[in-house]
Amino acid sequence: MTNVVSLRRQEADAFQPAIPGLIDMFASRRRGRHDAFWLKENAELLQILAALGAGAEVDLEPLRLRAGTLMQELRFFPQYYRMYLSLAVDLRALGMADSPVEEMAAFVQARDLTAVELSDTHRGEAQLLLRRAGVLVEDPALEARLARFAANSTAFCLPNRRAAYDLTHIVFHASDYGRKPLARDPQRRISLIHAGLVAWLEGNLDLLAEVTLALRLSGEDVPEVWANAVARAADRVEFEPGHAAGPFDDDYHQYLVLNWAFALSGGDAFGGGVPGNARIIRQPLRQGAALHEMSLALLDMGDARQPDWPRMRWRLWAKLSKPARDCLLSVETMPEFEGFFAGFSRAGQGDGDKQ
């Protein structure tokens, strides 16, 4: 039987305040110290706390011993240099003055570790981390490629999680997670709206939260229906003790980005508390999705499908369940929806020619 602890049911004295409780849980109870996912999860948590300026609320003591070994570990595991450098710069930002930021950045440069990156998104992240460490790095060609990728709004009409997350992270890196003003770009905005529509229709709160973050960091408005969904979901969390050998397919990342997005909207992020034995984070699924049903219906239409939403709506409507219709009703009046549907419909692709 699963031992589930609800924030709303547990007595207050069984909890640590959320932020120190999360640091303690991520540092001490989720992963072993030699697990690469320990680096990933702790880097993501500290990244968000530093972006929120949470220094006064942060107790870094659970991380102090590990922080002292970061340079030694980086020398042995240089393939994880972005995670190590991210940990170091955010530990410094959150108040750990002796974090070995400069030494680690010098090592990354001396070994030219960024040369192994095939992903432009990862190259952009590496450049940001080096700049935060005080190293002047410029690559106009890389910036131009990232900008072209982000402006290709048609590409984001179709489900492609890797591309969508690359898009949001390009904005995170370009804005230094909100520390640097970012010039508005109409095409990038449309790309984000398209990625957000896919996330909404799929019921993917993790991606939807990242899209709302990227819109705000770009100086753009967030559709009210998305902002409300993020606000409702941010504190709907349950913590489980879990087992040392148990699986870790949980909702930690969604919980973190939902609360970051909620904070940027003016909400009280990471409210409540964290049980002292918590190890696993669960959040309920968002009810109602339409993406799969829409895709199957459009596929079945073959060459008869059209890119015009007003014409196609009545043909699709009868093929969708009520939850799928409700999901669509929330977004079909958005000004960008018809342009999104034109790409999503894949009309005129010559399906009739397939053998």
Side-chain angles (χ1 to χ4, degrees):
M1 180 176 177
T2 304
N3 184 5
V4 177
V5 184
S6 168
L7 282 180
R8 294 182 176 85
R9 293 197 300 268
Q10 188 75 354
E11 293 297 326
D13 60 5
F15 286 81
Q16 294 174 277
I19 290 178
L22 287 169
I23 290 174
D24 185 40
M25 178 176 70
F26 276 65
S28 309
R29 294 193 300 281
R30 282 180 60 82
R31 305 279 185 178
R33 65 181 301 243
H34 297 302
D35 186 336
F37 283 98
W38 187 100
L39 297 174
K40 179 180 184 294
E41 293 180 4
N42 280 273
E44 288 168 339
L45 173 62
L46 295 185
Q47 201 172 67
I48 289 171
L49 295 180
L52 291 175
E57 304 170 65
V58 171
D59 176 8
L60 297 175
E61 199 56 37
L63 288 161
R64 189 165 297 280
L65 184 63
R66 187 67 183 271
T69 69
L70 291 181
M71 189 64 232
Q72 176 187 351
E73 292 183 33
L74 173 60
R75 291 192 183 100
F76 195 80
F77 298 113
Q79 67 270 36
Y80 301 135
Y81 78 94
R82 284 182 290 111
M83 289 187 286
Y84 281 117
L85 191 53
S86 178
L87 282 165
V89 296
D90 286 320
L91 284 168
R92 173 79 63 82
L94 290 166
M96 189 177 287
D98 56 350
S99 179
V101 173
E102 291 79 12
E103 185 182 1
M104 294 174 72
F107 179 84
V108 170
Q109 277 199 299
R111 295 291 188 92
D112 195 19
L113 296 182
T114 61
V116 306
E117 302 289 4
L118 292 178
S119 162
D120 276 347
T121 307
H122 291 166
R123 287 178 177 270
E125 179 188 13
Q127 288 205 354
L128 169 62
L129 292 170
L130 287 170
R131 283 196 293 269
R132 290 189 64 198
V135 178
L136 181 61
V137 285
E138 300 291 342
D139 188 342
L142 172 63
E143 292 177 7
R145 291 196 303 272
L146 292 172
R148 283 197 301 272
F149 176 88
N152 184 12
S153 57
T154 302
F156 299 100
C157 294
L158 299 179
N160 183 337
R161 291 187 188 182
R162 182 63 272 163
Y165 280 107
D166 277 346
L167 174 64
T168 58
H169 282 244
I170 286 169
V171 174
F172 297 166
H173 302 155
S175 67
D176 192 359
Y177 294 88
R179 300 177 185 88
K180 175 184 173 183
L182 195 58
R184 297 176 71 179
D185 181 327
Q187 284 304 112
R188 184 182 62 220
R189 175 188 169 276
I190 296 296
S191 295
L192 288 167
I193 293 292
H194 287 175
L197 282 166
V198 170
W200 177 265
L201 295 173
E202 188 180 37
N204 185 340
L205 281 169
D206 187 294
L207 178 56
L208 185 70
E210 288 213 4
V211 168
T212 68
L213 281 162
L215 285 168
R216 292 190 193 281
L217 295 177
S218 299
E220 307 288 357
D221 293 333
V222 173
E224 185 178 4
V225 65
W226 297 354
N228 290 341
V230 166
R232 286 193 301 269
D235 71 341
R236 295 179 63 196
V237 59
E238 292 183 331
F239 294 95
E240 301 174 15
H243 303 285
F248 264 96
D249 185 18
D250 72 349
D251 302 312
Y252 88 91
H253 186 269
Q254 177 176 292
Y255 171 69
L256 294 182
V257 294
L258 278 169
N259 275 273
W260 180 20
F262 186 42
L264 285 199
S265 73
D268 182 16
F270 300 111
V274 177
N277 64 345
R279 194 162 182 260
I280 295 174
I281 300 173
R282 303 285 188 204
Q283 287 196 292
L285 294 173
R286 185 174 74 82
Q287 297 299 309
L291 190 77
H292 185 64
E293 293 183 38
M294 288 177 66
S295 292
L296 290 181
L298 288 167
L299 179 63
D300 288 344
M301 291 179 189
D303 288 343
R305 62 180 179 267
Q306 300 176 30
D308 189 294
W309 172 243
R311 290 185 178 182
M312 290 293 291
R313 185 183 189 275
W314 68 270
R315 297 178 60 191
L316 274 174
W317 214 247
K319 300 176 183 294
L320 302 179
S321 66
K322 185 178 185 306
R325 293 176 189 173
D326 291 342
C327 180
L328 262 173
L329 282 169
S330 300
V331 292
E332 67 168 336
T333 57
M334 288 174 57
E336 302 84 2
F337 187 82
E338 289 192 25
F340 162 79
F341 181 79
F344 181 76
S345 70
R346 285 148 283 189
Q349 300 294 314
D351 287 4
D353 298 332
K354 290 195 302 183
Q355 300 298 317

